[in-house]
Amino acid sequence: MSDATVDEGPVGDGTRAVRAGLPEPVKHEPTLPGPVFAAHFHLPGEVTGPYSYGRDDNPTWTLLENAIGELEAPGRPDVETLVFASGMAAISAVLFSQLRAGDAVVLPSDGYQALPLVRAQLEAYGVEVRTAPTGGDAQLEALEGARLLWIESPSNPGLDVCDIRRLAVAAHAQGTLVAVDNTLATPLGQRPLALGADFTVASGTKQLTGHGDVLLGYVAGRDAEAMAAVRRWRKIVGAIPGPMEAWLAHRSIATIQLRVDRQNATALTVAEALRQRPEVTDLRYPGLPDDPAHKIASRQMRRYGCVVSFTLPTRARAERFLAALRLVEDATSFGGVRSTAERRGRWGGDAVPEGFVRMSVGAEDPEDLVADILRALDESAE
Ligand SMILES: *Cc1c(COP(=O)(O)O)cnc(C)c1O
């Protein structure tokens, strides 16, 4: 293979992931060059080339951006990817670089818990914010005249799914831009740009990097002008990842196919085990064939994620269940190799019942995990 990057051709996700973003091999140099720590770069005379000041660009970001771009949009050199300090930095970069006072934006009413804060800030800047639930493509109703449609599918934490292609066609027919938060699916689960979105945006903090040790975000887009505005926003706000975080993220992406295949398969096993339990209600996992989201999910997703959600009868029961788990840490966030779960209602904000549990399935052996969950359910019964 002459080109070290696999950005086209019929390769599998594992092959693509282990080579994603690698530079041309150089004798005596590591395959993945180490992090470049630089606030500024040697730059005599005229300003030429990409690397001048560390808030604008960094070679470690470039490799990571190439890697994420190859996963989000293989074989699409027209797609540009930009990395950010966190998922929220990436989300804010799209919203605040694309929207002006007087514009309207459609957000999901059941999306990530920081979206209400974003809403308040957008409104303070004179942007009209409309919301509608993800399920049933309800955002279609709110679309008229909007400048931007923001989709989160599957939604976090409710795991509803909408028809991205259908919404994108309707949005584009009236000149509305479309952004999809792809955090939960990861690029191996879903490719929003191929489904018609203008931007795919995600937190790399979750399953993309998968070890719970890095905050990261990214935006990938196919419109050069729109992406120039996103890049300009990154420069203005300075919401940039450190080189060490960028390098750790790139190293972690090499194992993404192993992690998501293992974790997502176990998530289905966990969901099937939970379904047998009478105290578990409102069980959601888009990969379950009888889940309300499965039909649309199976048309647009290649993998269904590692998050399972369900409701226990009371807050006290949920708290006892979480305390009784030995292999599942009581922690927020999701996507890591170690399973975590939390009672989502403890945060306020999400419209969920008191006994609602969001569980993120890790890379433990499935039989160990299921045994631990069933034991904790038994022990937490009154
Ligand atoms: C976690 C998350 C974010 C925010 O990402 P950070 O890296 O924590 O800033 C945005 N969207 C979704 C769906 C998330 O789960």
Side-chain angles (χ1 to χ4, degrees), residues 243-319:
M244 190 67 207
E245 283 75 8
W247 183 84
L248 273 173
H250 197 162
R251 182 186 194 272
S252 303
I253 284 173
T255 57
I256 187 172
Q257 184 263 346
L258 294 170
R259 290 184 284 103
V260 299
D261 276 0
R262 169 63 166 237
Q263 291 175 241
N264 298 8
T266 308
L268 179 61
T269 305
V270 165
E272 283 166 347
L274 287 168
R275 186 164 53 178
Q276 309 302 322
R277 299 290 301 215
E279 67 272 57
V280 169
T281 56
D282 296 329
L283 174 67
R284 295 299 303 267
Y285 181 65
L288 276 174
D290 56 355
D291 187 275
H294 184 71
K295 198 164 159 239
I296 306 165
S298 64
R299 270 193 264 135
Q300 66 191 17
M301 299 180 77
R302 298 186 301 142
R303 297 175 174 86
Y304 302 108
C306 65
V307 179
V308 177
S309 68
F310 55 95
T311 301
L312 292 172
T314 61
R315 169 180 176 156
R317 177 75 194 270
E319 284 171 348

Side-chain angles (χ1 to χ4, degrees), residues 77-98:
D78 57 320
V79 168
E80 183 180 358
T81 305
L82 295 169
V83 289
F84 287 83
S86 67
M88 282 314 300
I91 289 171
S92 297
V94 172
L95 290 169
F96 290 97
S97 71
Q98 304 301 313

Side-chain angles (χ1 to χ4, degrees), residues 119 137 188 217 261 274 318 351 376:
R119 172 186 189 152
D137 297 346
L188 269 66
D261 276 0
L274 287 168

Side-chain angles (χ1 to χ4, degrees), residues 6-325:
V6 183
D7 56 4
E8 50 194 318
V11 302
D13 290 322
T15 308
R16 185 176 285 115
V18 297
R19 305 206 65 85
L22 298 182
E24 287 292 325
V26 177
K27 194 174 183 183
H28 306 308
E29 293 292 330
T31 306
L32 175 63
V36 176
F37 296 101
H40 56 86
F41 299 85
H42 191 54
L43 188 70
E46 294 299 314
V47 178
T48 55
Y51 305 114
S52 53
Y53 188 63
R55 180 166 25 75
D56 297 339
D57 239 327
N58 175 293
T60 309
W61 304 349
T62 304
L63 299 180
L64 175 62
E65 289 169 344
N66 291 343
I68 294 171
E70 285 169 33
L71 299 181
E72 278 283 358
R76 291 276 305 268
D78 57 320
V79 168
E80 183 180 358
T81 305
L82 295 169
V83 289
F84 287 83
S86 67
M88 282 314 300
I91 289 171
S92 297
V94 172
L95 290 169
F96 290 97
S97 71
Q98 304 301 313
L99 296 168
R100 309 270 176 282
D103 286 344
V105 59
V106 181
L107 300 180
S109 56
D110 50 354
Y112 184 61
Q113 62 170 348
L115 287 184
L117 298 174
V118 174
R119 172 186 189 152
Q121 193 62 55
L122 287 167
E123 287 174 343
Y125 290 153
V127 174
E128 180 198 340
V129 180
R130 306 173 191 158
T131 61
T134 300
D137 297 346
Q139 288 180 302
L140 275 179
E141 305 296 317
L143 216 51
E144 198 185 333
R147 164 107 182 110
L148 178 69
L149 166 64
W150 191 272
I151 292 171
E152 189 179 306
S153 180
S155 60
N156 171 23
L159 302 179
D160 264 324
V161 168
C162 59
D163 186 336
I164 295 174
R165 203 184 288 278
R166 177 174 179 226
L167 266 68
V169 166
H172 289 157
Q174 53 154 41
T176 304
L177 289 167
V178 178
V180 176
D181 184 327
N182 204 30
T183 303
L184 205 137
T186 83
L188 269 66
Q190 173 172 278
R191 293 192 188 131
L193 297 176
L195 295 169
D198 300 285
F199 304 96
T200 172
V201 186
S203 168
T205 312
K206 315 290 171 56
Q207 207 178 14
L208 181 84
T209 61
H211 292 69
D213 52 11
V214 163
L215 279 123
L216 188 85
Y218 68 85
V219 178
R222 57 207 173 107
D223 181 309
E225 207 178 309
M227 287 306 288
V230 175
R231 182 184 284 276
R232 183 169 160 273
W233 178 266
R234 183 175 72 176
K235 180 184 172 84
I236 294 170
V237 173
I240 54 166
M244 190 67 207
E245 283 75 8
W247 183 84
L248 273 173
H250 197 162
R251 182 186 194 272
S252 303
I253 284 173
T255 57
I256 187 172
Q257 184 263 346
L258 294 170
R259 290 184 284 103
V260 299
D261 276 0
R262 169 63 166 237
Q263 291 175 241
N264 298 8
T266 308
L268 179 61
T269 305
V270 165
E272 283 166 347
L274 287 168
R275 186 164 53 178
Q276 309 302 322
R277 299 290 301 215
E279 67 272 57
V280 169
T281 56
D282 296 329
L283 174 67
R284 295 299 303 267
Y285 181 65
L288 276 174
D290 56 355
D291 187 275
H294 184 71
K295 198 164 159 239
I296 306 165
S298 64
R299 270 193 264 135
Q300 66 191 17
M301 299 180 77
R302 298 186 301 142
R303 297 175 174 86
Y304 302 108
C306 65
V307 179
V308 177
S309 68
F310 55 95
T311 301
L312 292 172
T314 61
R315 169 180 176 156
R317 177 75 194 270
E319 284 171 348
R320 287 199 303 276
F321 167 69
L322 293 169
L325 289 163

